[in-house]
Amino acid sequence: MPQKESSVEHTLAPLPEIWKKITALDYISDVSWSPDGNQIACADASGYVSIIAAKTGYMSLNWHAHKVGTLMARWSHDGKYFASAGQDGKVRIYDGASFEKLSTIDHGGNWVEHIAWHGQRDVILSAAGKQLKLSNADGSLVQNFTDHKSTIADVAWHPVVPDLFATSSYGGARLWTISKHQHKRFLDWKGSLLNISYSPNGKVLAAGCQDGAAHIWLLPSGEDLFMNGYPTKVRELSWDSSSRYLATGGGAEIIVWDFAGKGPSGSKPLVFSGHESFVSVLKFAPQGLRLASGGIDGNVLVWDINKKGKTWLSSDTSEVSGLSWRAEGKLLVASYASGGLALFEIP
Amino acid sequence: MSTSNNKVPVTVLTGFLGSGKTTLLNRILTENHGKRIAVIENEFGEIGIDNALVVSAEEEIFEMNNGCICCTVRGDLIRILGNLMKRRDKFDYILVETTGLADPAPVAQTFFVDDEIQDALELDGIVTLVDTKHVLMHLDSSSECKEQVAFADVILLNKTDLVSEAEIDQLEIRIRSMNAMAKIYRTKDAAIDMESILNIKGFDLEHALAVKPTFLQPDYPFEWAGVFEIDNSHLKITLSEGPDPSMSVSLLNIGEASAEDVTALLDQAVKTFSDKNISLSPGGSIDSTGKLYKLELAQTGSKTFYVKPKKAGKYVLFTQHKPEEFSMTIERNEIEIDAIFSTNYEASHTHDSEVSSVGITSPGDLDEKKFNEWLSKLLREQGTDIFRMKGVLSLAGKSERFVFQGVHMLFDGRPDKPWADEERSNQIVFIGRNLNRKMLVEGFQSCLKKNRQLSIR
């Protein structure tokens, strides 16, 4: 890793909390907003899905969705549908308002670790082991993507080009279009890529690696950059909406790479120190330069990476397992390993 | 791996197809009814027990960093175990069953390499099941079979009802020659006490070498011993040219014991052979017991030495090399005599030619810097072939003993409890492929603060 710039100074202010409740029975694996911003969905390790009213924090509905554990729960682009994925090898599709069960996608014995709804249409990608499927809301298969040789670690739709998506796994990243069952392009890297994230303009593909590194491909050239020296595996990646900054975890410090000009090649990253132990989640706000970070230390911090201004802090005894901003970028929901959920409003 | 009480122990079960892994797994689950156990299985549907969460895993070997074989891990285990440990209803125990053809190294290394796994879990031990009826078919041809034996903390010689006792004895000798550290049990239908296989702390530094390694047919620092009755007339030893310009010998009093009772003196002899030697030129006399004499044999022609103990009695003479290598003769009153009883000490031929254990024990203190350099170089150059190692060291200037253990190139060590009244000493065991005992011993020896001789056990 290039030499770090001196850490950004910050003054701490308490993060204003609207409500905080124990909403789930176990570790919350996934937390997300309904497209209308009125509800929050939680998937937890006990196998439940909970729907929470954003205004009050009250649980409006919960159900046992998957044997063993539920790993993800997400609404479709316009909220018409809702899907959950779990360790029973199933994806369940529901009505997005009534949560009436509509269909099931079966992946056999493998855990369904990732689902991703299309940005404009009612089709959903689901990945389980080496299996990758695109299905309609009625559960019918659109495409089976076949040539994965290693377990799919992450899936991401292209933010600009419809029907294009990327997957990461051990050995590299693959780019796909939904019309072909074989990948379109393979970006190889000898390492285990834990996640994959397109910059919002679609010009950069970033991946965090098991061996304490981040890997970046500039598109369409495929030219790559490699940033290593992180204290631990890099599970956390987040782009700001302008595609200029990429925040990375992989340690107690947050390393933010600046893609302005010729960067980040040869540039020094910004370093944000505040967590007492490893960062567990990073999320840039949908607009602006606010970055939310959660840590194993139970702290949620909201940074303004643009100026040496105020940083907001909320502490908990339980590891922060997820963070999700509401679309307008003011409300932030945090989920915890304890099954707790908190809603914050950043002034 | 640091030790912490709230870490969930993990036992890895290995063994060839048909060795009884599933039987053992079911036995563990039945006998631990009421405990929350997660089983990571490599195949579907072989076990069905209510209290266990069974997760099927497809073995995925990931190479870390530079693609070195020593840094391979099980990617599927990182993912599955990492996820399972997030649950609030923590497991009491986790069992990982490998495929019959699995190399245990990536499984073990997973517990050293991933932070998340290291924080929550502790590799307790590797239990290897051996099908006594069929293992010999694999032991010679399959490197995986050898690795499973070499990596094990516990080896169950299973299906003993299908073979004769003599065959099992032979097999045990063979397996012991490969792995001096493992506990070996003979079982029928994988019936074994749970405490023999679970919570054994095989990778816990605090228990490094708590189980004393067992070496078969140790390579003694002497190759021959002969018992003589010596009265007022001394013995005259004559040696001709041999392979070395010198030979160490030692004389011990055997007392009233029977001539065959040399075995009781072996430990004492080994100790004597690690002492500083007394150089003896031709014509000189071996007149004390319990001392190491170095017979100088550089000059040409035959060389004569005398054995003149102060008291009459029965004595045993230990020689570094075999007497015939120097055409050694022993005379009393100008008459050539034979020993009352003599025995050769040579490397056993039951040793596995490829996989073996090398143990080094030595009194004295190690130069920490030298030792680090030596071990780093050794692991860099031969890490692929060194499967496991464990040791307790006496580092010069440190009041605590230093304990360490490793799998291939991954090394873990820290200071342990202080030395008390006992003699400070070092003990290391290596298990690996193509280990060069002489080179390891010499390398270790070069790190000792005072250049002491050491025994090879």
Side-chain angles (χ1 to χ4, degrees):
Chain A
M1 197 182 293
Q3 213 182 355
K4 293 166 185 172
E5 207 166 77
S6 60
S7 293
V8 177
E9 284 176 26
H10 55 266
T11 51
L12 280 179
L15 185 53
E17 183 181 297
I18 300 176
W19 49 258
K20 189 178 218 172
K21 289 185 160 73
I22 292 289
T23 55
L25 298 166
D26 206 329
Y27 181 95
I28 298 177
S29 328
D30 193 31
V31 59
S32 62
W33 287 89
S34 62
D36 64 10
N38 291 329
Q39 298 185 99
I40 296 161
C42 290
D44 75 59
S46 72
Y48 273 79
V49 173
S50 311
I51 306 296
I52 316 292
K55 209 171 219 172
T56 58
Y58 289 135
M59 189 200 297
S60 53
L61 188 67
N62 78 341
W63 68 96
H64 194 247
H66 299 273
K67 233 177 110 185
V68 189
T70 305
L71 296 172
M72 284 187 85
R74 297 287 171 102
W75 275 275
S76 62
H77 68 105
D78 60 0
K80 188 177 176 197
Y81 298 106
F82 181 81
S84 66
Q87 290 168 318
D88 56 356
K90 309 251 191 307
V91 178
R92 297 191 198 284
I93 314 257
Y94 313 83
D95 181 278
S98 69
F99 303 101
E100 182 196 341
K101 207 195 285 178
L102 301 176
S103 64
T104 301
I105 301 160
D106 198 340
H107 276 278
N110 287 311
W111 294 357
V112 184
E113 293 185 76
H114 294 280
I115 50 172
W117 287 100
H118 191 282
Q120 289 93 42
R121 297 195 287 122
D122 294 330
V123 290
I124 187 169
L125 278 171
S126 54
K130 295 170 192 168
Q131 290 179 37
L132 182 62
K133 290 179 183 181
L134 183 72
S135 311
N136 290 309
D138 64 3
S140 60
L141 186 72
V142 177
Q143 187 65 268
N144 206 356
F145 306 94
T146 50
D147 59 348
H148 252 285
K149 284 168 189 69
S150 176
T151 291
I152 298 156
D154 201 5
V155 178
W157 285 102
H158 194 283
V160 183
V161 185
D163 300 350
L164 196 68
F165 66 94
T167 57
S168 68
S169 64
Y170 174 67
R174 286 173 172 79
L175 307 185
W176 313 72
T177 54
I178 62 170
S179 57
K180 279 193 185 153
H181 72 278
Q182 280 181 317
H183 66 258
K184 210 175 136 221
R185 191 163 175 194
F186 182 51
L187 301 165
D188 76 307
W189 174 245
K190 201 168 173 56
S192 172
L193 307 180
L194 303 172
N195 44 33
I196 195 97
S197 179
Y198 275 109
S199 61
N201 62 11
K203 288 182 177 165
V204 187
L205 193 60
C209 306
Q210 171 75 36
D211 45 6
H215 207 87
I216 278 158
W217 288 274
L218 306 178
L219 299 174
S221 72
E223 183 192 331
D224 60 347
L225 293 169
F226 181 57
M227 296 131 166
N228 61 5
Y230 287 89
T232 190
K233 56 184 168 183
V234 181
R235 291 175 307 175
E236 310 79 21
L237 293 177
S238 184
W239 288 93
D240 85 301
S241 58
S242 73
S243 299
R244 177 171 171 179
Y245 295 106
L246 171 67
T248 57
E253 290 176 325
I254 302 160
I255 311 289
V256 179
W257 299 94
D258 186 351
F259 283 70
K262 284 184 179 171
S265 154
S267 74
K268 288 176 185 171
L270 294 164
V271 179
F272 296 87
S273 308
H275 285 285
E276 286 151 29
S277 51
F278 290 163
V279 169
S280 53
V281 54
L282 288 174
K283 286 285 164 67
F284 263 109
Q287 308 90 30
L289 291 174
R290 276 184 175 154
L291 172 68
S293 65
I296 290 169
D297 58 7
N299 289 340
V300 173
L301 287 155
V302 177
W303 316 79
D304 193 326
I305 70 150
N306 199 25
K307 58 172 194 270
K308 298 185 177 186
K310 226 178 229 178
T311 298
W312 311 89
L313 164 73
S314 170
S315 293
D316 195 277
T317 53
S318 178
E319 172 184 341
V320 182
S321 67
L323 290 169
S324 184
W325 290 91
R326 202 164 80 154
E328 89 296 322
K330 290 261 185 252
L331 293 180
L332 174 72
V333 64
S335 67
Y336 297 89
S338 59
L341 202 63
L343 185 67
F344 304 107
E345 183 168 17
I346 294 86
Chain B
M1 252 167 287
S2 62
T3 53
S4 163
N5 293 332
N6 53 19
K7 289 189 183 182
V8 179
V10 181
T11 290
V12 178
L13 301 179
T14 74
F16 263 43
L17 197 65
S19 58
K21 275 179 298 179
T22 307
T23 312
L24 181 63
L25 205 49
N26 275 311
R27 210 173 264 286
I28 296 171
L29 294 177
T30 309
E31 296 197 20
N32 290 280
H33 199 84
K35 289 205 175 133
R36 274 188 299 262
I37 297 179
V39 181
I40 319 287
E41 253 204 325
N42 59 80
E43 280 117 358
F44 281 112
E46 283 200 40
I47 54 169
I49 288 220
D50 299 340
N51 65 326
L53 170 68
V54 180
V55 181
S56 109
E58 198 180 335
E59 182 181 82
E60 286 190 70
I61 309 283
F62 288 2
E63 287 173 5
M64 301 284 289
N65 302 322
N66 48 13
C68 158
I69 188 81
C70 303
C71 300
T72 54
V73 298
R74 284 274 300 271
D76 56 319
L77 285 182
I78 293 182
R79 228 177 53 250
I80 291 168
L81 292 173
N83 193 300
L84 288 181
M85 293 321 291
K86 287 175 177 169
R87 307 173 70 84
R88 195 156 32 162
D89 56 336
K90 298 286 181 237
F91 295 100
D92 298 312
Y93 217 99
I94 293 179
L95 301 167
V96 177
E97 183 196 355
T98 69
T99 62
L101 283 166
D103 169 3
V107 185
Q109 287 168 178
T110 302
F111 293 86
F112 285 80
V113 161
D114 186 83
D115 292 320
E116 221 181 342
I117 303 266
Q118 243 187 347
D119 284 348
L121 301 164
E122 189 157 50
L123 179 57
D124 181 65
I126 298 175
V127 176
T128 297
L129 279 116
V130 170
D131 173 354
T132 49
K133 176 95 179 152
H134 297 107
V135 70
L136 287 173
M137 293 193 318
H138 309 301
L139 211 46
D140 289 315
S141 57
S142 157
S143 60
E144 289 89 357
C145 188
K146 286 183 185 182
E147 279 157 8
Q148 289 173 2
V149 166
F151 267 96
D153 296 284
V154 176
I155 296 169
L156 303 187
L157 302 179
N158 195 29
K159 305 197 172 177
T160 51
D161 47 326
L162 302 179
V163 285
S164 72
E165 193 139 326
E167 285 172 286
I168 304 172
D169 288 345
Q170 275 305 106
L171 177 64
E172 182 165 340
I173 288 169
R174 172 83 188 275
I175 282 178
R176 179 53 84 197
S177 77
M178 295 165 75
N179 185 336
M181 270 193 286
K183 284 212 162 194
I184 300 178
Y185 300 99
R186 299 177 179 198
T187 59
K188 195 181 141 201
D189 297 327
I192 179 87
D193 288 341
M194 288 300 121
E195 51 269 34
S196 303
I197 53 169
L198 302 182
N199 291 309
I200 55 166
K201 309 270 179 205
F203 288 81
D204 187 341
L205 283 174
E206 262 177 51
H207 292 74
L209 298 176
V211 178
K212 286 272 165 261
T214 309
F215 293 97
L216 287 172
Q217 313 272 0
D219 288 352
Y220 289 106
F222 37 81
E223 292 181 349
W224 182 84
V227 177
F228 300 91
E229 185 97 51
I230 306 177
D231 48 28
N232 297 329
S233 52
H234 56 252
L235 303 182
K236 180 179 161 191
I237 302 178
T238 308
L239 299 105
S240 303
E241 256 92 288
D244 276 326
S246 72
M247 175 166 77
S248 296
V249 300
S250 181
L251 188 71
L252 293 179
N253 193 325
I254 203 166
E256 292 307 306
S258 71
E260 290 82 0
D261 230 359
V262 179
T263 320
L265 291 173
L266 284 175
D267 274 352
Q268 202 190 329
V270 166
K271 210 154 175 274
T272 305
F273 266 77
S274 71
D275 282 345
K276 205 167 177 313
N277 60 48
I278 300 161
S279 174
L280 205 64
S281 301
S285 296
I286 298 160
D287 49 15
S288 299
T289 59
K291 294 243 167 77
L292 188 68
Y293 292 92
K294 184 180 165 204
L295 308 185
E296 302 295 351
L297 306 170
Q299 71 178 63
T300 52
S302 64
K303 279 104 9 194
T304 303
F305 300 87
Y306 299 92
V307 181
K308 288 185 187 165
K310 292 179 181 74
K311 281 192 282 182
K314 256 194 277 179
Y315 290 87
V316 54
L317 182 71
F318 290 92
T319 63
Q320 186 189 357
H321 302 292
K322 288 204 198 77
E324 55 264 34
E325 291 176 59
F326 295 86
S327 314
M328 186 172 101
T329 57
I330 297 180
E331 292 165 68
R332 182 193 287 133
N333 301 328
E334 308 296 321
I335 299 161
E336 192 171 332
I337 58 160
D338 282 330
I340 304 169
F341 171 81
S342 71
T343 181
N344 285 322
Y345 298 96
E346 51 197 328
S348 156
H349 297 294
T350 57
H351 278 187
D352 188 276
S353 53
E354 207 187 322
V355 174
S356 66
S357 298
V358 171
I360 302 172
T361 60
S362 164
D365 294 339
L366 284 166
D367 181 319
E368 192 174 349
K369 189 165 167 277
K370 275 191 194 166
F371 180 74
N372 271 329
E373 283 168 4
W374 171 67
L375 195 64
S376 306
K377 186 165 179 280
L378 181 71
L379 295 182
R380 211 163 47 238
E381 291 170 357
Q382 289 175 72
T384 318
D385 280 345
I386 294 172
F387 299 153
R388 285 186 73 173
M389 57 176 184
K390 284 188 180 189
V392 177
L393 305 176
S394 161
L395 300 178
K398 297 283 161 68
S399 57
E400 293 106 6
R401 50 194 97 207
F402 187 85
V403 289
F404 76 94
Q405 61 127 349
V407 173
H408 283 313
M409 283 179 175
L410 301 170
F411 175 92
D412 181 27
R414 62 170 163 80
D416 196 49
K417 57 179 190 280
W419 293 100
D421 294 335
E422 74 271 54
E423 190 192 4
R424 292 172 64 122
S425 65
N426 305 281
Q427 183 166 21
I428 306 190
V429 182
F430 295 98
I431 299 179
R433 193 190 293 123
N434 306 321
L435 297 181
N436 183 332
R437 184 180 296 265
K438 189 162 177 278
M439 198 206 72
L440 288 171
V441 170
E442 284 171 2
F444 180 85
Q445 195 169 11
S446 71
C447 307
L448 282 170
K449 204 76 177 169
K450 284 175 210 153
N451 209 12
R452 294 188 69 150
Q453 291 275 327
L454 57 145
S455 65
I456 312 164
R457 299 299 299 272

